Amino acid sequence: MKRRPALVFGIGATIVGAALSGCASTAPAERQARILPESCARPSYPREALMQRVQGKVGMAMLVGADGKVRDAEVRRSSGDESLDLAALRALSTCSFRPALLAGAATQQWTDVQYAWRLR
């Protein structure tokens, strides 16, 4: 029987204490940016990693614009496998977010997102 990879989102997105690009204020947001899971494409398990049964968790930082789109993204904590890191980063960079609010207005801020690659 063939095993299918089970992909698990680490959806708990939180604001990071990073400089805000294009914003005058560094005050904490009154509402943190949140990922909209239904907007995300499920990353494809990289073939080589799947064949070698590599698993891991990728920690990423994403700059979410006031429009809820990802403006910049980077891997902050590697899964230990570059192909898993890049696949997660590419796929989750296309997700939409509910943007952070600051003084009642949508604003861009950095947020942490994790993606866990698990085989069952």
Side-chain angles (χ1 to χ4, degrees):
M1 175 192 258
K2 242 182 169 180
R3 287 186 177 180
R4 296 181 60 181
L7 306 180
V8 180
F9 276 111
I11 297 300
T14 57
I15 298 299
V16 180
L20 303 179
S21 175
C23 295
S25 172
T26 58
E30 45 195 70
R31 181 183 79 197
Q32 298 180 347
R34 282 198 216 151
I35 196 166
L36 301 173
E38 65 278 0
S39 72
C40 300
R42 183 173 288 215
S44 297
Y45 219 107
R47 187 169 195 251
E48 195 66 31
L50 183 59
M51 291 173 52
Q52 294 178 9
R53 304 201 48 80
V54 177
Q55 302 181 87
K57 189 187 306 181
V58 184
M60 296 162 282
M62 302 202 167
L63 179 61
V64 178
D67 61 356
K69 302 293 181 198
V70 176
R71 300 286 173 228
D72 194 10
E74 60 188 43
V75 173
R76 292 270 174 97
R77 191 177 62 245
S78 175
S79 65
D81 184 275
E82 186 177 6
S83 68
L84 294 181
D85 296 347
L86 293 176
L89 190 64
R90 262 184 276 168
L92 296 183
S93 290
T94 65
C95 294
S96 293
F97 287 72
R98 191 171 97 182
L101 284 183
L102 184 62
T107 187
Q108 71 178 12
Q109 281 193 317
W110 285 95
T111 187
D112 278 341
V113 178
Q114 293 185 0
Y115 192 85
W117 296 93
R118 298 198 204 307
L119 295 169
R120 293 186 187 179

